Amino acid sequence: MTRIILTLERATNNITFKQIAITMLLLKLVIIGYFGYLLTLEALNGTLEFNSNFFFFMAVGFLAQLIDGALGMAYGVSCTTLLMNYGIPAGLASASVHTSEIFTTGISGLAHIKFKNIDKPLFFKIVITGTLGAVLGAYLISGYFDGNVVKPYISAYLILLGSYIIYKGIENKKREDRNVKRAPLLALVGGFLDTIGGGGWGPIVTSNLIGQGKDPRHAIGTVNTAEFFVTYFATAVFVFILGISHWQIILGLITGGALAAPLGAFIASRINKRVLFFMVGTLIILTSAYSLYKML
């Protein structure tokens, strides 16, 4: 295992941020072309409809992506919570959020690259295994078992982890940015639980990285950029198995998220570290406690 990791590190040393950005753009062009084709079919069949609800969905996407871009987590939790409170069924909300995340995480990731919020070695440690975990989770949740079974345990764990991060911020000891342990395994678990449990890549991976002493700015930027690839390939599995519909919700979330993504990355590059620790911890506790309350 160690030899494989060392080989991957050597292979990725010469890859530049520009090449990562170009890869993201090319993948986005592929999915835009595919969605354009589907939208054209919907329009020709007369089944593509929009009304004033589109602006609500756009506002939901903007707010959720602003939080996610600045804190590196909670896009899925924020979107799903707001949509369900508006009366959207849970399954429809989850499918819409996962599809829209391809675009919002792509824009957010490019913005983080621009603001130099990325730790390149860490990025390659988490993006490959994170994607593998997400694809496996998407395949299983699409046809084999219910992800709601593990949600209460994830939420309880995140409440404890959020409390620990707030403690780290209050402690406020001067510390150097440290290398994290078992990052590939952490990403594998985070990607898997994200698709099985309907969210959790950001809270699980970002929270653990910060808890281990990683600079919050680089932890958020790196995890947010890797999330594009994690979401992209997981959504490909969802689309292949389950298909796609509900365009009004998807396009509303995409539009709002696209507008908020650069602003969230800018906030992450400027905000005080101690404040960031407190905000991340508080956000995890509130969202996880709410999810646990809804499930119980």
Side-chain angles (χ1 to χ4, degrees):
M1 184 66 177
T2 303
R3 182 177 297 177
I4 294 174
I5 293 174
L6 290 174
T7 302
L8 287 173
E9 287 180 353
R10 285 195 294 268
T12 55
N13 278 339
N14 295 325
I15 297 177
T16 65
F17 288 131
K18 183 178 180 180
Q19 291 170 326
I20 295 172
I22 290 172
T23 302
M24 293 172 69
L25 289 171
L26 290 175
L27 288 173
K28 286 184 72 172
L29 287 174
V30 171
I31 201 68
I32 287 172
Y34 179 65
F35 279 9
Y37 168 73
L38 293 179
L39 280 169
T40 301
L41 291 180
E42 293 269 353
L44 291 174
N45 293 331
T47 55
L48 188 62
E49 297 180 0
F50 288 90
N51 55 42
S52 59
N53 288 332
F54 175 81
F55 297 101
F56 170 77
F57 301 137
M58 189 170 74
V60 169
F62 183 91
L63 178 61
Q65 184 56 43
L66 188 64
I67 295 170
D68 188 83
L71 302 184
M73 63 187 72
Y75 177 85
V77 173
S78 301
C79 271
T80 303
T81 300
L82 291 170
L83 290 175
M84 290 178 63
N85 285 336
Y86 190 69
I88 304 299
L92 187 59
S94 179
S96 301
V97 169
H98 274 93
T99 305
S100 67
E101 277 187 310
I102 291 177
F103 297 90
T104 56
T105 56
I107 296 170
S108 181
L110 292 172
H112 278 297
I113 291 174
K114 176 179 173 57
F115 288 113
K116 299 180 179 175
N117 297 338
I118 312 293
D119 181 324
K120 192 171 74 169
L122 177 61
F123 171 81
F124 285 110
K125 285 180 180 178
I126 66 174
V127 70
I128 297 172
T129 54
T131 300
L132 291 174
V135 167
L136 177 61
Y139 176 74
L140 292 175
I141 198 65
S142 294
Y144 289 94
F145 60 89
D146 186 359
N148 288 326
V149 174
V150 299
K151 277 188 176 182
Y153 302 99
I154 298 172
S155 295
Y157 163 72
L158 290 175
I159 290 172
L160 295 175
L161 192 55
S163 302
Y164 176 70
I165 289 174
I166 289 178
Y167 165 75
K168 285 279 192 178
I170 294 174
E171 184 186 29
N172 198 35
K173 288 184 179 179
K174 185 176 178 61
R175 56 172 70 85
E176 294 182 357
D177 186 23
R178 292 184 291 184
N179 291 325
V180 296
K181 300 177 181 178
R182 296 179 292 276
L185 178 60
L186 172 63
L188 180 69
V189 174
F192 180 77
L193 293 179
D194 181 72
T195 47
I196 287 293
W201 167 259
I204 291 171
V205 181
T206 304
S207 302
N208 274 281
L209 293 179
I210 294 175
Q212 290 187 50
K214 190 67 185 172
D215 184 320
R217 171 187 167 187
H218 289 134
I220 289 170
T222 304
V223 173
N224 218 248
T225 304
E227 187 177 13
F228 167 76
F229 296 92
V230 171
T231 302
Y232 189 97
F233 291 102
T235 302
V237 175
F238 281 127
V239 170
F240 179 77
I241 296 176
L242 302 177
I244 189 170
S245 58
H246 44 273
W247 286 106
Q248 181 169 227
I249 304 175
I250 293 170
L251 294 178
L253 296 179
I254 291 171
T255 304
L259 293 173
L263 180 58
F266 175 79
I267 293 172
S269 69
R270 294 291 187 271
I271 197 167
N272 178 272
K273 287 185 183 181
R274 189 176 187 184
V275 173
L276 205 55
F277 270 112
F278 183 79
M279 291 176 67
V280 170
T282 302
L283 180 65
I284 293 169
I285 292 172
L286 290 177
T287 54
S288 300
Y290 180 77
S291 297
L292 193 59
Y293 167 76
K294 293 286 285 186
M295 285 180 283
L296 299 177

